Amino acid sequence: VGGAPAVTRIKAFLVSSDGTKADQAVAVPVCRFVAATAEHIASVASFGGSDAAVSAAAVANLLSGTADAAVGSIARDGTDCVATFGAAATAGKSYVLVEVKGTGATNVTYTELVPLRVWHATNVTVKVADPLVNLIAGAWNKADCTQRIYQSTDVFATATLGGVGLSSVTGVDVTSIATFTSSNVAAATVTASLLEGVAPGTTTLSLVGTGVAPATAVVTVTEEPITVSRIDPIIVTGAKWGVEPSIAAATSETYTASVTLLQELNNEGDESFIYTWATMSDGSAKLMDPADITLTSIDASVIEIASASTSTYAKARVPTSGASPGAGKLIRAKWVDLCFAETLATGYGSVAVTMPAPTASTVTISGGGYVTAANDLAAKSPINIPTFVSITVKLMLKNVLGEVSERDVSGDPRTVVEVISGAGLVTVSGNMVSGAGAGVGIVRLRVSLRGFGDVNGTLTKTVTVNVVAFDRLELLSMPYPRYAGSVSDPVLNLMGCSGKYQAMEAALYAVTDDGSMFEVTTASTFSRTSGSAGVITLVGSLITGIASGSATLAATWNGLASPELFIRVSDARVSVVKIEHLTNWDAGNSFVGYGGSTKTLSISVTLEDGSVLPDIVAMGLASEFLSISSDNPLAVSVTNAGVATLLDNSAEVKITAMFVCPNGYYIFLPEGVDSIYPNLDPLLGDVDVGAKVGPQFADMYEGSFQDIPIRINSATANLQTFQLEVTIDAEALVVTECLQGPDWSGLFDCNINDPVNKVKVVGNNLESTATGTSLHIATFRIAAHSTISLKTVTFTGDITVMIRSDSSIPDSPASFAAGTGYMRVKPLGARRRLLMEHDSDVAGVLALVPHPDFVNVTVGGNLEARAGRRVLLQTTIAPVATLPGVVAIPTATEMVSGVLGDVDGNGVVDMADVHFMQQLIVNNGDLSALTPWALQQLDPTLDYLRVGYDCNSLPGCGLTCPDTSTPCPTSRDAMYLTRVINGKFRFLVTPPNEVITQAPAHAGDQLKIRVRVLSAGNLPATSPKTVVRVEYGTTENKQMACALGALPAITEDGVIAFASESSDGDGTFETFAFGPDGLWRNEESLGVAIMIETQNDMGETDNTRKFPFFGSRVDPYGSFLYTYETYTTARISADPAPPPPPSPPPMPGSAPP
């Protein structure tokens, strides 16, 4: 209405299959208005009408023409779509459809349609509160005392909003977005929505830029004077609605709105607004500018005028300290004409101030309540007894609303601190208490709060201050290094079996008159006063024995000398009685780091006289007193100097520190043992399996579960592709579940129990932003089998493929370093076993064993499970030279003329091929540069074999097609190849035209289906791990019977048969069928769809192991929105078989028949 456009910003977020919305919006390459269909519009109820669907006539009206261009425009802004609807538009509309497209991580395009409703102003009206503006008697312009002041009046604009398919809404207040103009600014001016008279005359008000028919209002400015009847200051702290509409209310509901002004002044410092209104003799009112009036407080102890103000209001405030409650007309407003000092009006505003009542008090003293005189030595460093203390007083206050607050009133003059006893020892100023230097003792103080309304003194508190002074110095001998509970001992003995004497520290203490001791050693000097230098050494305050004998020491502090300290050095020995490990290991008492990482041990030694060497390693004495060893030096090695080196993972390592006495002084040799868990961090490109801290693999009992994380070190590079394999001990453990880790997003698959001792994990995402030294990419859960004795099992693993953004080529295959480790599986006690066997979940775990029908029941498995990555082809058929991108329908032999899935042409099928495929997709690669064989491997879902296939119209194909026959890779193909590599899917290598080896030519003939299925590495698929189902699409022959295979069920589209593995051993599966009751019925096109499904060695399957060529509605494919789609078709003839030929006539001379 006012010319400024209405803007709608549309942001797009990707949503995963589990409904989780991404945190960040994605860029939308396409956003545009599109034509709405009748179905779209009919589903939207009229805004202002009934709840029924829009009528057919309204739908036709909405669909006619291209009205969206008249409604608004749409464009991209950064990553968003922005729809703009401005005054330049000429219409509204009940249904504007915006198409938004976004691209996901796997280059899949998602489309969303966003409906918008646009209301357009069809009519605008301008109104004024008072069309006659008068002169105000006695009021002159203070900036120019020759100019008179006229009335002002409010201007309003209302609009009627509507559009195509919308019911009009009238009387909408659009004042806040309207722009008004005055035709005669010499008579009146307009600022925002306020008109002010300037001089006698007439002006026409109109709107600027409405885009609709002009709306006007006429205002007359006259010299006929009016007077100021009264002036009223209104003191307001807030406002509230009388009726608040429900957000969920219908859009057509009507509310009567009212506002209640609030004045709530209940605490010191509360502020309010002062709005001053002048009422004129003609009944009109004017909101005064505070600059034109004088505001004063009648009682400043209750309310005061604050300095902050604007052109519409001033501020009042309850004093921040010492405020009194009160009520009445306490704010005076006076309108004085500054040009001629004439008072036009005076008014008073009502104020009610309540003060909160004190309910509780707290009193605390700084410095622990000790104080000394400023010139006393007790005030010197490092004693630092304060020369004054502050008393902190806090009040708990409750106001009339029941609100409780805490206030610091320490500096409030109403807080009174008085000396009850010991008045001569301190001076008091406010809440500060200082030592007077006139003696020592205890001073009692009273803190009273009567000025806050505590008239009965119930909140009064009594506190004490200790006034102290320096008394003397004391010199003690303390063990070195000191330890908790150290006591003074003047004797230095030989330690253990060594030739080293104990050390001690001279400690000087300043003692105050109350007996408190303050150590001042660091601010003192020490000297030997007797004894030879050959008995002790003195460095600072450190005393070390050299030979038996005695000596005395003294110390000075602040010019004062201490008494002498007598020291004796003895050849008596003190033995080691206790060794304690105090090393600060990583969390969970684990030693975490890269191979070769070191850690310095911390070991405490206690001697028989009670003295403690708190860290003998840090003191450099470990090798003289201790023998330090590791029970697994291949995992953690350790030196007698106390340095441990991390070398490998281990279930547990014990580090033993033993007291050594080579000269045989002592027989008792104590030791201390520290149990730790070495846990290697992965180096760049390595894989870690198990916990990061604590034991890598915690001990397990039979029937228990444990979640095992898999992490990769990709450092600062983005992890893009990986193919990993974890090997477990299948005799002790079984894998029950595997899930994607929190640090990985994108293509992911995990295959467990295939074979039973493997966990296979693969992933790919070229747009990955996953970086870090410990990327959690997967978690698998294991359960422990029954065991009769403690068993240590090993976890190992192999990296087949790893590709990061810091390298254009995969890392070389390698075994896990940090991920190799050990676990202890323990048997249960008899009672615990009995309890757990009654737990159905645990009993189920204990019963988990490989399926008896499978060959692969031991580590290593059958031929299919042991398939190597590289394939030695017996024959190689060179591709036929052709035009770039042209791929002819291959024969069954040609479909296996190379390594299946080998997209990058290196003779290996692995996740590097998926990476290569995704690079083609993301980077819009050149398909014409690839050989026909490589192009076929880009399409393992065999879309290029569909009847009528056209590369240019394949859904999901975003590449340039050199030819209509060119196979085009999609994210679906990348997923399929990923699951083939990970052992869940198989390659179908029989072209459609060779699937039917015999079509019935006569009613009694067999229909023979034969397909060949291979796993990764071109190895033949075998039953029962691979299941082939054939769904015949038929309406005439649903009662067919099988001569080979099985017919389990009739479906919506026909009948399903299970194919049997042939005896050829080359991955061939067959099914032969007869017609109903042995005779076929004519059917021009009997469809054949092929479903290939797999199981692991436990006989388990899930939806990630099933795929149709090309489609079926049977479970689970129908839930994936598949429909029945044939891989090939057969023509069924019900013609009877021809009669056998007649017997030939007998030869002459032959015997009669």
Side-chain angles (χ1 to χ4, degrees), residues 130 132-136 149-153 195-198 221-222 224 226 280-286:
D130 185 357
L132 182 64
V133 175
N134 297 84
L135 177 72
I136 299 176
I149 293 179
Y150 291 81
Q151 284 181 290
S152 59
T153 186
L195 178 144
E196 293 185 286
V198 176
V221 181
T222 177
E224 182 178 349
I226 58 172
M280 306 301 173
S281 57
D282 65 350
S284 64
K286 172 184 174 64

Side-chain angles (χ1 to χ4, degrees), residues 44-55 58 94 117 119 161-169 250-253:
V44 179
S46 173
F47 181 86
S50 68
D51 292 332
V54 181
S55 67
S94 68
R117 233 175 219 158
W119 300 82
L161 301 180
V164 178
L166 295 172
S167 298
S168 294
V169 179
T251 53
S252 60
E253 194 164 343

Side-chain angles (χ1 to χ4, degrees), residues 24-49:
Q24 300 296 325
V26 296
V28 285
V30 175
C31 50
R32 58 176 181 166
F33 288 134
V34 296
T37 66
E39 289 75 13
H40 286 137
I41 298 172
S43 66
V44 179
S46 173
F47 181 86

Side-chain angles (χ1 to χ4, degrees), residues 658-925:
M658 177 184 289
F659 173 44
V660 291
C661 189
N663 47 28
Y665 285 126
Y666 300 102
I667 298 176
F668 174 64
L669 303 176
E671 64 180 32
V673 179
D674 199 4
S675 295
I676 64 170
Y677 303 100
N679 200 332
L680 286 175
D681 276 331
L683 295 169
L684 176 62
D686 190 20
V687 176
D688 192 14
V689 180
K692 288 186 66 175
V693 296
Q696 182 185 12
F697 302 105
D699 293 350
M700 293 188 70
Y701 292 89
E702 55 184 285
S704 62
F705 294 87
Q706 188 173 150
D707 290 333
I708 308 295
I710 302 175
R711 296 180 298 274
I712 292 176
N713 182 352
S714 191
T716 58
N718 298 326
L719 179 64
Q720 296 180 336
T721 304
F722 53 85
Q723 180 179 349
L724 315 173
E725 189 174 274
V726 181
T727 302
I728 68 169
D729 187 332
E731 294 182 358
L733 305 170
V734 61
V735 182
T736 63
E737 188 178 12
C738 183
L739 300 174
Q740 186 169 335
D743 295 336
W744 178 252
S745 62
L747 190 60
F748 175 85
D749 190 71
C750 185
N751 191 3
I752 62 175
N753 296 314
D754 195 7
V756 291
N757 66 326
K758 299 290 184 182
V759 178
K760 304 174 184 177
V761 183
V762 295
N764 170 263
N765 183 359
L766 295 189
E767 298 177 2
S768 164
T769 58
T771 62
T773 59
S774 185
L775 294 175
H776 186 173
I777 56 104
T779 299
F780 63 94
R781 174 169 288 186
I782 57 174
H785 286 310
S786 298
T787 181
I788 61 174
S789 61
L790 175 65
K791 183 177 183 180
T792 299
V793 299
T794 305
F795 286 76
T796 59
D798 295 289
I799 305 168
T800 303
V801 174
M802 186 177 296
I803 303 176
R804 301 180 303 276
S805 61
D806 60 349
S807 176
S808 60
I809 60 173
D811 291 350
S812 299
S815 297
F816 295 175
T820 297
Y822 308 91
M823 173 188 286
R824 293 180 297 196
V825 181
K826 300 179 178 181
L828 292 173
R831 173 172 171 77
R832 188 171 180 184
R833 177 188 293 276
L834 181 63
L835 292 173
M836 294 189 72
E837 286 178 348
H838 284 81
D839 186 308
S840 59
D841 292 335
V842 174
V845 170
L846 296 176
L848 287 173
V849 294
H851 194 282
D853 292 341
F854 289 88
V855 176
N856 186 23
V857 294
T858 59
V859 175
N862 63 10
L863 178 64
E864 184 176 348
R866 291 199 311 266
R869 295 171 61 244
R870 298 190 175 273
V871 180
L872 180 61
L873 300 176
Q874 295 180 351
T875 59
T876 301
I877 302 173
V880 179
T882 183
L883 296 173
V886 175
V887 176
I889 301 297
T891 65
T893 302
E894 291 170 344
M895 286 189 75
V896 293
S897 61
V899 178
L900 293 170
D902 180 19
V903 176
D904 58 12
N906 67 345
V908 177
V909 57
D910 54 26
M911 286 302 293
D913 294 290
V914 176
H915 188 89
F916 183 90
M917 180 189 294
Q918 294 281 40
Q919 284 181 317
L920 281 173
I921 295 172
V922 173
N923 299 327
N924 196 22

Side-chain angles (χ1 to χ4, degrees), residues 1029-1040:
R1029 292 198 289 172
V1030 176
E1031 184 176 11
Y1032 298 103
T1034 175
T1035 57
E1036 302 298 327
N1037 293 285
K1038 284 194 173 185
Q1039 301 302 320
M1040 66 173 69

Side-chain angles (χ1 to χ4, degrees), residues 322-373:
S324 301
K329 294 185 178 297
L330 303 180
I331 298 292
R332 180 175 58 206
K334 181 183 291 188
W335 185 357
V336 178
D337 174 54
L338 299 180
C339 288
F340 300 99
E342 179 182 354
T343 299
L344 302 183
T346 300
Y348 294 86
S350 296
V351 176
V353 176
T354 62
M355 282 291 101
T359 59
S361 65
T362 60
V363 178
T364 57
I365 302 178
S366 66
Y370 282 84
V371 69
T372 189

